[in-house]
Amino acid sequence: MLKDEMNVEKWKNVLRSNVWNGIMPVLKLSYRNLPPHLQRCFAYCGIFPEDWRIKPDELVYMWMAQGLLRPHEESINTRMEDIGRIYFDDLSSRSFFQMLEHHNGKYYVMHDMIHELAQSVSKEECFRIERNNVQRIPSTVRHLSINTDALLQLTSICDLKNLRTLVIFSYNHSIGSDVFKQLRSIRVLDLTRCKMEQLPKAAGELIHLRYLAFADTLKAVPPSFYRLYYLQVLDVSRSSLPILFPEGMDKLINLRVLDVPGAFTSQIARIGKLTSLQRLAVFRTSKKKGRKIVELQNMDELRGSLVITNLENVHSMQEAAEAKLNQKEYIKKLTLKWATLRRREVTMIKFSGASSRIRISKI
């Protein structure tokens, strides 16, 4: 709570206060001493069920979708994802999140008392439907999660037009067209555990949507889906592919995260329009318009690893130069693949001119 506070008098004030009569008053004091931006981000966690395994990246993107991340003047050029991770690490260092290890890796949870605190401070805006506590949801609620097998008529218990978050944590629900028509303010929609095979046409009217995760049973989306121009995160990693029409994906120009198998991204025509995209596992070059190497030209936000395949379709050094790999300052590893060696030497000269920060793996 006071780990960064150097004012002795403030330490004495806390010592003299009457909060030491139980754990919860102390935790509430810790919350009140958080900076406002961290208070808002922590309160948002009130939507999660008890003992929920929190993935930092997913939570950061939810915060970002809700407009909870604010760059300081000294970090005006810092990525929103990096600002969000700073927020998360700050809350974790103050013990609001607890890191645990599993054989599958590390994850984070909130201690039972911290989870109770999150519910307490967010009760006006966050609501969780659990077990059989189905009731009329207050009109002040903006963030709703569902973790019950009870069948619900959401339109009759909630004023859906005010919701900014809807997350389904149970597997026995399907969201109908009547619900989508009323989600006028929704920004975060997580349907990964829903039972639905087709996204309703009304989904294309969710103009404020920033974060969308598809159900693992979803198999089709309507053409109106590609009107979600402000979508930043699209997670279809659990879905049954193919569910999208790759020919329309280039319209989602604000996408930062596209979590799909690499084979799917290679089918997206004019992917170069997605200039905010952060990661692209595989780019398969082609001779066809909209799939040539030039599509990489303005994708300067790509980071991590990138695999470029079928480079025999790149016909000259000039064409290879159009990819402008020297501008991809965030890519750390580049793998180049040829189906044949006929043009390998010609294009390799130019690709070797990529940024010195990139480690090139020649295959």
Side-chain angles (χ1 to χ4, degrees):
M1 178 176 67
L2 296 174
K3 72 182 184 69
D4 296 321
E5 182 56 65
M6 304 303 293
N7 189 309
V8 175
E9 193 58 34
K10 287 190 177 181
W11 281 80
K12 290 181 178 179
N13 289 339
V14 172
L15 180 62
R16 290 191 293 264
S17 67
N18 59 355
V19 302
W20 306 104
N21 297 324
I23 296 177
M24 189 54 67
V26 175
L27 294 179
K28 286 185 176 180
L29 181 61
S30 296
Y31 170 78
R32 287 196 295 270
N33 277 276
L34 287 174
H37 63 277
L38 292 185
Q39 287 185 0
R40 291 189 292 268
C41 288
F42 172 71
Y44 185 79
C45 297
I47 65 172
F48 294 116
E50 191 172 347
D51 297 325
W52 184 254
R53 294 187 177 186
I54 297 172
K55 298 178 180 179
D57 288 346
E58 288 184 3
L59 179 55
V60 165
Y61 282 120
M62 288 181 172
W63 287 342
M64 188 169 70
Q66 299 298 340
L68 299 178
L69 306 181
R70 294 284 190 271
H72 299 294
E73 289 185 8
E74 61 273 15
S75 61
I76 194 67
N77 295 320
T78 305
R79 279 195 323 150
M80 283 297 178
E81 289 88 345
D82 295 331
I83 293 172
R85 191 56 197 242
I86 291 171
Y87 286 11
F88 185 90
D89 291 342
D90 199 347
L91 286 168
S92 183
S93 70
R94 298 168 190 256
S95 300
F96 285 92
F97 299 124
Q98 179 182 4
M99 187 183 72
L100 299 176
E101 293 193 25
H102 191 261
H103 65 270
N104 289 330
K106 298 177 182 178
Y107 62 94
Y108 292 81
V109 297
M110 290 187 288
H111 187 276
D112 292 350
M113 295 296 293
I114 296 293
H115 183 264
E116 185 178 336
L117 174 66
Q119 285 186 284
S120 174
V121 300
S122 66
K123 60 184 178 183
E124 296 297 324
E125 291 200 344
C126 295
F127 194 92
R128 293 178 14 248
I129 299 177
E130 294 188 305
R131 302 179 182 89
N132 295 316
N133 70 331
V134 180
Q135 55 184 290
R136 181 67 190 179
I137 298 171
S139 60
T140 59
V141 169
R142 298 294 180 266
H143 312 291
L144 175 66
S145 65
I146 299 173
N147 188 26
T148 177
D149 290 332
L151 296 178
L152 302 174
Q153 292 293 330
L154 280 178
T155 54
S156 64
I157 63 173
C158 182
D159 191 0
L160 296 173
K161 72 177 185 295
N162 293 325
L163 282 187
R164 294 167 65 94
T165 300
L166 177 60
V167 182
I168 312 296
F169 289 113
S170 53
Y171 289 90
N172 196 33
H173 296 281
S174 178
I175 304 299
S177 182
D178 58 332
V179 172
F180 278 89
K181 288 178 180 178
Q182 296 188 39
L183 294 174
R184 302 171 190 171
S185 303
I186 203 75
R187 286 172 170 258
V188 172
L189 185 58
D190 190 334
L191 305 173
T192 50
R193 292 163 185 82
C194 273
K195 287 185 176 180
M196 56 191 306
E197 293 189 355
Q198 186 164 349
L199 206 64
K201 180 180 178 181
E205 304 302 321
L206 307 181
I207 60 174
H208 299 291
L209 194 62
R210 304 292 197 274
Y211 179 108
L212 175 61
F214 278 157
D216 57 7
T217 56
L218 198 69
K219 297 177 181 178
V221 298
S224 62
F225 170 78
Y226 302 108
R227 294 204 297 262
L228 301 178
Y229 304 121
Y230 293 104
L231 196 63
Q232 296 174 331
V233 178
L234 177 59
D235 182 356
V236 296
S237 60
R238 302 175 183 86
S239 303
S240 303
L241 292 173
I243 59 169
L244 305 177
F245 305 101
E247 285 296 325
M249 290 296 295
D250 63 298
K251 297 177 182 178
L252 305 180
I253 57 175
N254 286 294
L255 270 183
R256 302 171 73 89
V257 177
L258 179 57
D259 194 351
V260 296
F264 178 83
T265 59
S266 64
Q267 300 175 41
I268 300 175
R270 300 171 297 279
I271 197 172
K273 292 183 179 181
L274 308 184
T275 55
S276 296
L277 203 63
Q278 309 282 303
R279 292 190 181 276
L280 180 63
V282 178
F283 181 83
R284 182 181 300 165
T285 60
S286 172
K287 299 177 182 178
K288 296 180 180 179
K289 185 177 181 180
R291 292 183 171 85
K292 295 182 179 182
I293 194 73
V294 69
E295 292 298 319
L296 294 173
Q297 185 176 86
N298 297 315
M299 301 183 73
D300 295 335
E301 294 300 316
L302 292 178
R303 58 201 63 234
S305 300
L306 172 63
V307 178
I308 304 177
T309 69
N310 296 90
L311 283 169
E312 66 279 0
N313 292 319
V314 178
H315 292 280
S316 66
M317 290 174 57
Q318 181 180 358
E319 186 179 357
E322 292 177 347
K324 294 187 177 180
L325 292 181
N326 60 319
Q327 295 182 7
K328 311 296 185 282
E329 60 179 305
Y330 306 117
I331 292 179
K332 303 304 179 186
K333 180 182 178 182
L334 177 63
T335 301
L336 307 176
K337 294 185 178 182
W338 286 257
T340 66
L341 298 180
R342 182 168 55 91
R343 297 189 178 271
R344 173 176 177 150
E345 295 306 322
V346 173
T347 52
M348 192 64 218
I349 295 173
K350 202 62 187 179
F351 283 118
S352 295
S355 170
S356 59
R357 288 178 291 272
I358 302 176
R359 178 164 60 89
I360 296 182
S361 174
K362 294 177 286 186
I363 299 180

